[in-house]
Amino acid sequence: MAYTVTKLKDYSPTTLDTAAKELLRALDQEATAIRNEPDWKAFRDRWMARKNGVLTQVNDLWLKTAPKEAKRNVGQRVNELKKAAEQTIEAALQQIEAKAVLSRLIGDRLDVTLPGISRPIGAEHPVIKASNDMVGVFRNLGFSVQEGPEIETDYYNFESLNFPPNHPARDTQDTLFIANQQSKPLREQLLLRTHTSPVQIRTMEKIKPPIRIVIPGKVYRNDPPDASHSPMFHQIEGLAVDTNITFGDLKGTLDHAMKAFFGSSVKTSFRPSFFPFTEPSAELLVSCFVCGGSGRRGSDPCRPCKQTGWIEILGCGMVDPNVFEFVKHNGYEPSKVSGFAFGMGADRIALLKYGVDDLQLFFQNDVRFLSQFA
Ligand code: DAH
């Protein structure tokens, strides 16, 4: 039942006391029931409104009607009640404001103990990692990095590298040719480069000797994919040209590079070979770092070196003077300069270094496989 002001039956202090207590109890009760700002406004108006507010009624019903001798006392009482009402109303306002702040804070609450959202970041692909590592070995020796186009002309891919016109490497067996090139002269016809060697010529056209460069990049061949072949793979090419480069420089440089890349215990061995753009040409082998060169692992034959104790890593040789003929206008006079070159498969050295036995794993992009190298 809502509180209403009634007339006092008399003006004695006891009656006044009882009435005041009743009023204060109602004030407190109504104040505690306030939940929000509209509640508070209604509360304030009910008590303070000039017209017919509870306090106005108290004024009218208690004070105005009081006989002269009681006026002073009643007036004091009524003033106390007014003050109490004002204080309660003010306190109620502060309380709902505090409540609003609190609920805003609760809404904004941040649980700093929740685990964060992890965003996996990419990592180098194992082939790129192996390639970068090998390039790093040569950079440490003072080589700089060059790159060239993957779509190449017959001239850079073959002719300027001393491939005779009917060399079998030009055959469609190995080379992926760009279609509809027949109307162009042979040397301008486009193909997907089969090796990174054309960048040797492109660089010598741009930069005068001496040069020391490494050339990482993708190459393409018409090979069906299997455990050791892929129509796209990666090579790292090297070239050093100066006035007095010897086969000893070639051997010393590559021996150091193999030890730096595979570990200082590997030995190197050179075996005669043939490439049109080097003379003499060689294959470089490293002693098998899996079996230590014995060809066996316990009672089993060693697979990576096919029981030979040696693993073939790259082709190399002294730059053929016929190659310098194509760039002699830029300071590469065949009688004055000499150089060595080499080329290796980045995918192959990644397979060997990481002990992977199927090249296709590198290109299937299964994150469960690739993340092992991250
Ligand atoms: N270009 C050769 C290939 O793709 C690799 C090679 C061998 C590169 C000997 C060289 C080199 O620079 O001197 O099989």
Side-chain angles (χ1 to χ4, degrees), residues 14-245:
T14 338
T15 308
L16 261 179
D17 245 11
T18 316
K21 269 189 191 141
E22 197 192 344
L23 181 144
L24 287 174
R25 207 183 308 121
L27 180 71
D28 269 352
Q29 250 171 26
E30 289 179 30
T32 25
I34 292 171
R35 294 274 162 268
N36 48 37
E37 207 179 314
D39 283 358
W40 176 81
K41 279 189 172 147
F43 172 69
R44 178 197 58 189
D45 295 346
R46 167 164 153 75
W47 287 80
M48 305 295 278
R50 288 257 162 83
K51 244 177 103 188
N52 232 17
V54 173
L55 293 171
T56 302
Q57 289 177 42
V58 167
N59 219 42
D60 292 348
L61 296 176
W62 298 358
L63 185 57
K64 280 191 182 159
T65 56
K68 235 192 190 143
E69 64 282 8
K71 268 234 160 68
R72 207 181 119 88
N73 199 17
V74 177
Q76 217 170 23
R77 273 304 171 113
V78 169
N79 270 343
E80 279 167 20
L81 291 173
K82 267 189 191 155
K83 232 183 233 145
E86 274 163 14
Q87 273 170 11
T88 305
I89 289 165
E90 177 58 29
L93 178 63
Q94 278 174 12
Q95 211 164 49
I96 60 162
E97 279 172 356
K99 249 204 221 149
V101 170
L102 191 67
S103 72
R104 212 170 41 246
L105 286 177
I106 289 170
D108 288 351
R109 185 168 51 187
L110 183 70
D111 183 352
V112 292
T113 67
L114 279 176
I117 299 165
S118 82
R119 299 176 202 284
I121 51 167
E124 269 177 337
H125 187 280
V127 171
I128 300 304
K129 186 170 151 67
S131 176
N132 285 347
D133 285 353
M134 185 61 89
V135 165
V137 166
F138 285 96
R139 287 173 64 108
N140 287 343
L141 291 172
F143 284 65
S144 59
V145 177
Q146 290 288 329
E147 287 179 313
E150 291 169 25
I151 296 177
E152 198 41 287
T153 58
D154 184 279
Y155 175 77
Y156 286 111
N157 197 77
F158 293 127
E159 185 181 335
S160 63
L161 289 166
N162 200 33
F163 282 83
N166 292 312
H167 192 280
R170 291 182 164 196
D171 194 36
T172 46
Q173 282 298 304
D174 280 340
T175 306
L176 293 159
F177 291 93
I178 304 286
N180 305 322
Q181 300 288 304
Q182 289 82 349
S183 60
K184 294 180 182 168
L186 177 65
R187 52 167 49 192
E188 288 171 29
Q189 291 181 15
L190 297 175
L191 46 83
L192 295 182
R193 68 179 180 190
T194 58
H195 51 182
T196 42
S197 306
V199 189
Q200 289 190 24
I201 307 293
R202 287 183 173 276
T203 307
M204 286 192 283
E205 284 178 345
K206 278 193 319 211
I207 302 172
K208 293 189 191 318
I211 57 165
R212 277 172 296 178
I213 55 167
V214 273
I215 306 150
K218 288 190 177 74
V219 302
Y220 302 84
R221 285 186 202 172
N222 189 17
D223 281 332
D226 65 25
S228 55
H229 293 85
S230 163
M232 183 284 299
F233 58 106
H234 302 79
Q235 285 189 336
I236 303 160
E237 186 87 13
L239 174 70
V241 183
D242 204 338
T243 46
N244 240 323
I245 302 268

Side-chain angles (χ1 to χ4, degrees), residues 287-350:
S287 57
C288 181
F289 38 81
V290 176
C291 65
S294 67
R296 303 201 68 79
R297 297 177 80 183
S299 54
D300 293 330
C302 181
R303 279 222 291 167
C305 67
K306 301 193 190 90
Q307 303 179 63
T308 63
W310 292 96
I311 297 176
E312 198 187 307
I313 299 290
L314 54 77
C316 58
M318 301 307 289
V319 179
D320 193 307
N322 288 344
V323 171
F324 288 137
E325 284 291 336
F326 290 93
V327 284
K328 68 176 170 194
H329 57 276
N330 199 30
Y332 294 86
E333 180 57 53
S335 61
K336 297 216 174 88
V337 294
S338 61
F340 68 78
F342 59 88
M344 68 187 101
D347 320 80
R348 185 170 152 73
I349 62 169

